[in-house]
Amino acid sequence: MPRIQAATVAEHRSLQRRALLDAARDILASGAPEAPSLSAVAQRAGLARPSVYQYFRSREDLLEAVIADMFPRWSAFVGERMDGAPGAAEQVLAYADANLELVAQGEHAVMRGLAMAAPGPPSPSRAGSCTNSCACRSSRRSPGPERPSHSTWPS
């Protein structure tokens, strides 16, 4: 029986899950050409491969968990920068600056890895959940001009 390395079983499971998410993120950030296997993630986390299945049913389940873990943090980072900007123009600059900082930190490599690992076209529900918080945040601050419908945008 494996040793529990925390005060409680729940805390141990939380630490193991975090280690697996961090390992998957590290592999994605390394520029691997395809999604990491559960075996590779387990090895990077220092766990036995069968242990991964206690936390994730499949590679897709793991990647969805990485997305669910990372996008709210990215969105919060960008949102905090935008919240500190006094006007609409400054909010746009804060948005761009925050995203460039994420690129400089290497976060874009994780995003690229997730995009390369995606089994099909992006799901609107997943894409919406990670972009809507910043868009909603911006629309709450100042009314500004109405956005044109997509049909009136130049092609």
Side-chain angles (χ1 to χ4, degrees):
M1 178 157 217
R3 289 193 114 122
I4 294 177
Q5 300 183 9
T8 66
V9 172
E11 186 179 341
H12 173 77
R13 287 187 54 77
S14 178
L15 290 172
Q16 297 292 75
R17 187 175 194 279
R18 173 88 265 146
L20 291 166
L21 290 171
D22 290 345
R25 185 202 169 283
D26 290 347
I27 293 170
L28 288 164
S30 72
E34 58 186 40
S37 67
L38 293 180
S39 178
V41 171
Q43 183 177 9
R44 175 77 59 104
L47 299 172
R49 186 177 57 82
S51 299
V52 177
Y53 292 99
Q54 294 177 18
Y55 303 92
F56 305 103
R57 294 181 309 267
S58 65
R59 177 167 49 181
E60 290 75 22
D61 189 35
L62 171 63
L63 294 176
E64 285 183 15
V66 169
I67 291 167
D69 180 59
M70 295 189 74
F71 277 115
R73 289 189 287 138
W74 291 348
S75 182
F77 178 79
V78 172
E80 287 169 10
R81 295 296 182 87
M82 291 175 67
D83 285 344
E90 292 86 0
Q91 290 169 5
V92 170
L93 290 174
Y95 175 85
D97 184 54
N99 278 284
L100 288 173
E101 189 170 330
L102 289 171
V103 168
Q105 294 171 4
E107 295 297 314
H108 70 292
V110 177
M111 177 66 75
R112 185 181 61 238
L114 287 168
M116 297 296 290
S123 160
S125 63
R126 282 189 297 181
S129 68
C130 50
T131 57
N132 285 343
S133 61
C134 283
C136 290
R137 183 185 315 272
S138 178
S139 66
R140 284 193 305 258
R141 271 199 291 269
S142 61
E146 288 293 316
R147 265 181 94 183
S149 70
H150 290 285
S151 62
T152 62
W153 290 0
S155 49

